[in-house]
Amino acid sequence: YVDVCATNPDPATPDINTVTFPAPGDVLTSPVQITGQIAVFEAQFNITIYDAQGNVIADEPAMSNEGQTLAPFSVSVPFTVTAPTAACIWVYDISNADGVSLQDVVQIPVTLQP
């Protein structure tokens, strides 16, 4: 597979954000069920899928089971591609301080199938 992930602005530590599925290199069809554990304020976080050019393929607001503590999540993310596409899934929180900075980012390089 090709790792098309851009530079990670704020890599997550396993005690804050861990993705258990998919794994790097997985070949996925829509919708993809993304699972893991995350500790975020008010249990709200985001999942975005980017192509090799940095274009957004999918963007899904998400919720974990509870906030402030490492809690499980399972989020169905639909996407549309017309050919096998190298992509990067980002699972991350948005900074409470400024409302725009990405924090605690996990990146998973995958291939999306139509």
Side-chain angles (χ1 to χ4, degrees):
Y1 71 96
V2 179
D3 184 347
V4 299
C5 293
T7 301
N8 190 326
D10 186 39
T13 56
D15 61 324
I16 298 292
N17 184 0
T18 303
V19 175
T20 53
F21 184 85
D26 280 358
V27 176
L28 308 171
T29 55
S30 181
V32 57
Q33 195 73 26
I34 300 172
T35 60
Q37 293 184 312
I38 194 167
V40 289
F41 183 71
E42 294 182 347
Q44 298 178 27
F45 64 102
N46 290 74
I47 298 173
T48 306
I49 304 175
Y50 296 97
D51 68 10
Q53 291 73 44
N55 299 310
V56 173
I57 294 173
D59 190 42
E60 195 74 22
M63 298 282 295
S64 63
N65 290 359
E66 50 186 302
Q68 309 282 53
T69 181
L70 195 62
F73 68 85
S74 182
V75 180
S76 180
V77 180
F79 63 85
T80 303
V81 294
T82 56
T85 303
C88 187
I89 299 171
W90 292 41
V91 178
Y92 60 93
D93 193 12
I94 304 277
S95 167
N96 291 325
D98 65 17
V100 294
S101 299
L102 307 189
Q103 65 185 30
D104 301 319
V105 180
V106 171
Q107 297 175 320
I108 310 101
V110 295
T111 301
L112 306 180
Q113 293 284 3

